[in-house]
Amino acid sequence: MATETLTLGKALNTGLRKALENDPKVVIMGEDVGKLGGVFRITDGLQKDFGDQRVIDTPLAESGIIGTAVGLAIRGYRPVCEIQFDGFVYPAYDQIVSQVAKMHYRSQGKVRIPMVIRIPYGGGIGAVEHHSESPEAYFAHTAGLKVVSCATPQDAYSMIQQAIASDDPIVFLEPKRRYWEKGPVELDAPLDAAYPLHSARVVRPGADATVLAYGPMVRTCLDAATAAAEDGRELEVIDLRTLSPLDLTAAYESVKRTGRCVVVHEAPGNLGLGSEIAARITEECFYSLESPVLRVTGFDTPYPASRVEEEYLPDLDRVLDAVDRTFGW
């Protein structure tokens, strides 16, 4: 089985290429995705190889991109829409929650919307306003949408193909600060043998406390677990991978063993995914918990100027501090 070391961005590019090769109904749409190859070069070379009828440079109009994709999906295509940056998605928000999320229900199951909305999200790249946001809670809260986030090159490669093959509309969140991180990718593995799209995964086993994360924070939490191990404390790190539907089976099993849980995400804490996760774990694991479920999140402010973003973003020290506090009860 061929295994190559790829960046997360290149793994996405390779997965998109494979989806285009395997299904002529797959089309990619977005601002600068064609000739330029996307601002992060995730679609680099695809228009050259598949033509401008399948990799389409659109006007600067997010609502137009999504609205057009809805029509294409109804007609049997599988559009993959790129929102250039997280903060640009809001002009398309009405289309996403009013049409994309509702069409299947509104038609009593007669119409499916097999489309993927790719959103590079999160901070850590020194960008300006509207380029470093974490809007996942808006979409996870919306019935009719599925929401996933990759954290490794292998997951990027397989999850983007699984999302495109799905008959449901999927918001696909890409941790932009991890685009350049490398990892092994099995290129020849059949897609039906890949890890299930809507399943969480234990990425580091441990016995002392459970740490839950997704997207860009998985690497941060793994680094925190490595640091904690130097002090003799073993943290179990779980990559949630799917935010809607949430898969907390592995989390429940872990917390019942460790008795402690910390949830980490970049988005603000108020009504973030961590709130729902903490509530569900408390309900399911109440008699196993040795302390409250704690959250490490961004602050309840607009995303700050890039020169101070490291003060805003959860980091290794904040994660370890939360773990320490779970042992103080």
Side-chain angles (χ1 to χ4, degrees), residues 138-210:
Y138 296 120
F139 302 112
H141 182 73
T142 302
L145 295 176
K146 291 184 175 179
V147 184
V148 300
S149 181
C150 57
T152 67
Q154 179 64 63
D155 271 353
Y157 174 71
S158 58
M159 288 172 72
I160 191 62
Q161 294 180 72
Q162 290 169 314
I164 294 169
S166 173
D167 286 334
D168 297 313
I170 295 179
V171 175
F172 194 94
L173 299 167
E174 302 169 5
K176 69 170 83 77
R177 77 156 110 165
R178 308 300 183 194
Y179 274 151
W180 300 275
E181 294 186 2
K182 295 181 178 180
V185 179
E186 294 181 359
L187 296 175
D188 295 338
L191 195 59
D192 56 8
Y195 199 80
L197 179 62
H198 296 295
S199 297
R201 175 161 49 197
V202 176
V203 291
R204 178 180 175 125
D208 295 325
T210 303

Side-chain angles (χ1 to χ4, degrees), residues 246 248 271-281 295:
L246 269 173
L248 295 179
L271 301 179
L273 261 293
S275 303
E276 178 66 24
I277 294 166
R280 293 197 193 186
I281 288 175
R295 291 171 291 158

Side-chain angles (χ1 to χ4, degrees), residues 33-98:
V33 299
K35 187 175 181 180
L36 181 67
V39 293
F40 294 105
R41 304 300 186 267
I42 304 304
T43 53
D44 189 38
L46 298 182
Q47 188 182 75
K48 178 175 67 71
D49 294 339
F50 294 94
D52 59 9
Q53 297 297 303
R54 296 193 64 198
V55 182
I56 304 163
D57 282 314
T58 67
L60 305 183
E62 285 76 16
S63 61
I65 296 169
I66 301 301
T68 301
V70 169
L72 284 167
I74 290 173
R75 296 291 291 179
Y77 290 86
R78 292 184 176 271
V80 182
C81 303
E82 178 181 298
I83 303 297
Q84 198 169 75
F85 281 91
D86 36 50
F88 298 177
V89 75
Y90 304 115
Y93 187 73
D94 181 24
Q95 301 281 354
I96 294 170
V97 302
S98 300

Side-chain angles (χ1 to χ4, degrees), residues 69-142:
V70 169
L72 284 167
I74 290 173
R75 296 291 291 179
Y77 290 86
R78 292 184 176 271
V80 182
C81 303
E82 178 181 298
I83 303 297
Q84 198 169 75
F85 281 91
D86 36 50
F88 298 177
V89 75
Y90 304 115
Y93 187 73
D94 181 24
Q95 301 281 354
I96 294 170
V97 302
S98 300
Q99 296 182 5
V100 176
K102 303 290 194 300
M103 197 68 73
H104 184 63
Y105 183 83
R106 186 185 299 149
S107 67
Q108 297 183 321
K110 295 180 178 65
V111 175
R112 286 197 174 274
I113 307 293
M115 61 184 287
V116 176
I117 303 169
R118 294 180 42 240
I119 307 177
Y121 82 119
I125 64 167
V128 296
E129 189 179 26
H130 305 310
H131 290 67
S132 301
E133 299 179 18
S134 298
E136 60 268 26
Y138 296 120
F139 302 112
H141 182 73
T142 302

Side-chain angles (χ1 to χ4, degrees), residues 245-265:
L246 269 173
D247 173 34
L248 295 179
T249 303
Y252 296 152
E253 294 173 354
S254 178
V255 173
K256 287 175 181 177
R257 285 187 290 102
T258 66
R260 295 172 173 83
C261 182
V262 175
V263 188
V264 185
H265 59 67

